[in-house]
Coordinates of all heavy atoms in Angstrom, one line a residue:
R45 N -11.3 40.1 -21.1 CA -11.1 39.0 -22.0 C -9.6 38.8 -22.3 O -8.8 39.7 -22.5 CB -11.6 39.2 -23.4 CG -11.6 38.1 -24.3 CD -12.3 38.5 -25.6 NE -13.7 38.6 -25.4 CZ -14.6 37.6 -25.5 NH1 -14.2 36.4 -25.6 NH2 -15.9 37.8 -25.3
M46 N -9.1 37.5 -22.1 CA -7.7 37.4 -22.2 C -7.3 36.8 -23.5 O -7.9 36.0 -24.1 CB -7.3 36.3 -21.0 CG -7.5 36.8 -19.7 SD -6.6 35.8 -18.4 CE -7.0 36.8 -17.0
V47 N -6.1 37.3 -24.0 CA -5.7 36.9 -25.3 C -5.1 35.6 -25.3 O -5.4 34.7 -26.1 CB -4.7 38.0 -25.8 CG1 -4.2 37.6 -27.1 CG2 -5.4 39.3 -26.0
S48 N -4.2 35.2 -24.3 CA -3.5 34.0 -24.1 C -4.1 33.3 -23.0 O -4.4 33.8 -22.0 CB -2.0 34.1 -23.9 OG -1.8 35.0 -22.8
A49 N -4.6 32.0 -23.2 CA -5.2 31.3 -22.2 C -4.3 30.9 -21.1 O -3.0 30.6 -21.3 CB -5.9 30.0 -22.8
I50 N -4.8 30.9 -19.8 CA -4.1 30.3 -18.7 C -4.4 28.9 -18.5 O -5.6 28.5 -18.6 CB -4.4 31.2 -17.5 CG1 -4.0 32.7 -17.7 CG2 -3.7 30.6 -16.3 CD1 -4.3 33.6 -16.5
L51 N -3.4 28.1 -18.3 CA -3.7 26.7 -18.1 C -4.7 26.4 -16.9 O -4.3 26.8 -15.8 CB -2.4 25.8 -17.9 CG -2.5 24.3 -17.8 CD1 -3.1 23.7 -19.0 CD2 -1.2 23.7 -17.4
P52 N -5.8 25.8 -17.1 CA -6.7 25.6 -16.0 C -6.2 24.5 -15.2 O -5.5 23.6 -15.6 CB -8.0 25.4 -16.7 CG -7.5 24.8 -17.9 CD -6.4 25.5 -18.4
F53 N -6.8 24.5 -13.9 CA -6.6 23.2 -13.0 C -7.5 22.1 -13.3 O -8.4 21.8 -12.6 CB -6.7 23.7 -11.5 CG -5.8 24.8 -11.0 CD1 -5.9 26.0 -11.2 CD2 -4.5 24.3 -10.5 CE1 -5.1 27.0 -10.8 CE2 -3.7 25.2 -9.9 CZ -3.9 26.5 -10.2
L54 N -7.3 21.5 -14.5 CA -8.1 20.5 -15.0 C -7.2 19.2 -15.3 O -6.2 19.4 -15.8 CB -8.9 20.8 -16.2 CG -10.0 21.9 -16.0 CD1 -10.6 22.3 -17.3 CD2 -11.1 21.5 -15.1
V55 N -7.7 18.1 -15.0 CA -7.0 16.9 -15.4 C -7.9 15.9 -16.1 O -9.1 15.7 -15.6 CB -6.5 16.1 -14.0 CG1 -5.7 14.8 -14.5 CG2 -5.6 17.0 -13.3
L56 N -7.5 15.6 -17.3 CA -8.4 14.7 -18.1 C -8.7 13.3 -17.4 O -7.7 12.7 -16.9 CB -7.8 14.5 -19.5 CG -7.8 15.6 -20.4 CD1 -7.1 15.2 -21.7 CD2 -9.2 16.1 -20.7
A57 N -9.8 12.8 -17.5 CA -10.2 11.6 -16.8 C -10.7 10.8 -17.9 O -11.4 11.1 -18.9 CB -11.3 11.8 -15.8
G58 N -10.5 9.4 -17.9 CA -10.7 8.6 -19.0 C -12.2 8.0 -19.1 O -12.6 7.4 -20.1
T59 N -12.9 8.1 -18.1 CA -14.2 7.3 -18.0 C -15.3 8.1 -17.8 O -16.4 7.7 -18.0 CB -14.1 6.3 -16.9 OG1 -13.8 6.8 -15.7 CG2 -13.1 5.3 -17.3
S60 N -15.2 9.4 -17.1 CA -16.5 10.1 -16.7 C -16.2 11.6 -17.0 O -15.1 12.0 -17.0 CB -16.9 9.8 -15.4 OG -15.9 10.4 -14.5
N61 N -17.3 12.3 -17.1 CA -17.2 13.8 -17.3 C -17.7 14.4 -15.9 O -18.8 15.1 -15.8 CB -18.0 14.4 -18.4 CG -19.5 13.8 -18.4 OD1 -19.8 12.8 -17.8 ND2 -20.2 14.5 -19.2
V62 N -17.0 14.2 -14.9 CA -17.3 14.6 -13.6 C -16.3 15.5 -13.0 O -15.2 15.3 -12.9 CB -17.6 13.4 -12.5 CG1 -17.9 13.9 -11.1 CG2 -18.6 12.5 -13.0
L63 N -16.9 16.8 -12.5 CA -16.0 17.7 -11.8 C -16.0 17.4 -10.3 O -17.0 17.3 -9.7 CB -16.5 19.1 -11.9 CG -16.4 19.7 -13.4 CD1 -17.2 20.9 -13.5 CD2 -15.0 19.9 -13.8
R64 N -14.8 17.1 -9.7 CA -14.8 16.7 -8.3 C -14.4 18.0 -7.5 O -13.5 18.6 -7.9 CB -13.8 15.6 -8.1 CG -14.2 14.4 -9.0 CD -13.5 13.2 -8.2 NE -13.9 12.0 -9.1 CZ -15.1 11.3 -8.9 NH1 -15.9 11.8 -8.0 NH2 -15.4 10.3 -9.6
A65 N -15.1 18.2 -6.4 CA -14.8 19.3 -5.5 C -14.6 18.7 -4.0 O -14.8 17.5 -3.8 CB -15.9 20.2 -5.5
Q66 N -14.3 19.6 -3.2 CA -13.8 19.2 -1.8 C -15.1 18.5 -1.1 O -14.8 17.8 -0.2 CB -13.3 20.4 -1.1 CG -14.1 21.6 -1.0 CD -13.3 22.8 -0.7 OE1 -12.1 22.8 -0.7 NE2 -14.0 23.8 -0.2
T67 N -16.3 18.9 -1.4 CA -17.4 18.4 -0.5 C -18.4 17.7 -1.5 O -19.6 17.6 -1.1 CB -18.1 19.5 0.1 OG1 -18.4 20.5 -0.8 CG2 -17.1 20.1 1.2
G68 N -18.1 17.3 -2.7 CA -19.0 16.7 -3.6 C -18.6 16.6 -5.1 O -17.4 16.8 -5.3
Q69 N -19.5 16.4 -5.9 CA -19.1 16.4 -7.3 C -20.2 17.0 -8.2 O -21.4 17.0 -7.6 CB -18.8 14.9 -7.8 CG -20.0 14.0 -7.6 CD -19.7 12.6 -7.9 OE1 -18.4 12.3 -7.8 NE2 -20.6 11.8 -8.3
I70 N -19.9 17.4 -9.3 CA -20.8 18.0 -10.2 C -20.5 17.7 -11.6 O -19.3 17.6 -12.0 CB -21.0 19.5 -10.1 CG1 -22.0 20.2 -10.9 CG2 -19.7 20.2 -10.4 CD1 -22.5 21.6 -10.5
K71 N -21.4 17.3 -12.5 CA -21.3 16.8 -13.8 C -21.6 17.9 -14.8 O -22.6 18.4 -14.9 CB -22.2 15.6 -14.1 CG -22.0 15.0 -15.3 CD -22.9 13.7 -15.6 CE -22.9 13.1 -16.9 NZ -23.7 11.9 -17.0
F72 N -20.5 18.1 -15.8 CA -20.8 18.9 -16.8 C -21.6 18.1 -17.9 O -21.4 17.0 -18.2 CB -19.4 19.3 -17.5 CG -19.5 19.9 -18.9 CD1 -19.8 21.4 -18.9 CD2 -19.4 19.2 -20.1 CE1 -20.0 21.8 -20.2 CE2 -19.5 19.9 -21.3 CZ -19.8 21.2 -21.3
V73 N -22.6 18.9 -18.4 CA -23.5 18.3 -19.4 C -23.3 18.9 -20.8 O -23.2 18.0 -21.8 CB -24.9 18.5 -19.0 CG1 -26.0 17.9 -19.9 CG2 -25.2 17.9 -17.6
R74 N -23.4 20.1 -21.0 CA -23.4 20.7 -22.3 C -23.0 22.2 -22.3 O -23.0 22.8 -21.2 CB -24.5 20.4 -23.1 CG -25.8 20.9 -22.5 CD -27.1 20.6 -23.2 NE -28.3 20.8 -22.5 CZ -29.1 20.1 -21.8 NH1 -28.7 18.8 -21.7 NH2 -30.2 20.4 -21.2
A75 N -22.9 22.8 -23.5 CA -22.6 24.3 -23.5 C -23.2 24.8 -24.8 O -23.4 24.1 -25.8 CB -21.2 24.6 -23.4
F76 N -23.7 26.0 -24.8 CA -24.1 26.7 -26.0 C -24.0 28.2 -25.8 O -23.7 28.7 -24.7 CB -25.8 26.3 -26.2 CG -26.6 26.8 -25.1 CD1 -27.2 28.1 -25.2 CD2 -26.9 26.1 -23.9 CE1 -28.1 28.6 -24.3 CE2 -27.7 26.6 -22.9 CZ -28.2 27.9 -23.0
P77 N -24.1 29.0 -27.0 CA -24.4 28.6 -28.3 C -23.2 28.1 -29.0 O -22.0 28.3 -28.5 CB -24.7 29.9 -28.9 CG -24.0 31.0 -28.1 CD -24.0 30.5 -26.8

Side-chain angles (χ1 to χ4, degrees):
R45 185 180 297 273
M46 295 190 176
V47 177
S48 59
I50 298 176
L51 182 64
F53 291 87
L54 293 176
V55 179
L56 289 178
T59 57
S60 65
N61 53 341
V62 173
L63 291 169
R64 299 200 180 280
Q66 55 195 16
T67 56
Q69 61 185 23
I70 188 165
K71 181 179 180 181
F72 170 81
V73 178
R74 53 185 177 261
F76 67 93

